[in-house]
């Protein structure tokens, strides 16, 4: 699975954090959640942290989708 990319965040002086994905708003965090997010994003891989916080991370169906009949070449059916 490729690494997440295209995420960015902006932290305001009021304590709000806005996360975007390819310049489209993904989520807005404030209060304790924003503070926890900022701690995690500075400690780890920022793209991976933002993907996890926005919910755009490993939906669990990747393996099942790969095995779907429409994705299997006719020669292997």
């Amino acid at each position: 699975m490729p690494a997440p990319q295209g995420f960015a965040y902006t932290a305001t002086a009021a304590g709000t954090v806005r996360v975007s994905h390819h310049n489209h708003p993904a989520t807005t965090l404030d209060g304790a959640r924003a503070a926890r997010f900022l701690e995690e994003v500075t400690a780890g891989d920022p793209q991976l942290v933002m993907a996890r916080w926005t919910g755009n991370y490993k939906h669990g169906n990747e393996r099942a989708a790969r095995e779907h009949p429409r994705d299997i070449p006719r020669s292997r059916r």
Side-chain angles (χ1 to χ4, degrees), residues 22-75:
H22 295 291
N23 296 323
H24 296 285
T27 192
T28 302
L29 307 167
D30 58 356
R33 293 194 64 188
R36 200 167 95 218
F37 169 81
L38 290 172
E39 288 175 12
E40 282 189 36
V41 81
T42 55
D45 176 17
Q47 292 294 307
L48 189 59
V49 171
M50 287 184 272
R52 197 168 43 82
W53 275 77
T54 59
N56 190 8
Y57 178 73
K58 288 193 177 181
H59 301 284
N61 63 350
E62 288 87 1
R63 181 172 291 160
R66 186 175 52 213
E67 303 294 332
H68 194 276
R70 75 167 172 262
D71 294 333
I72 298 174
R74 291 188 188 272
S75 62

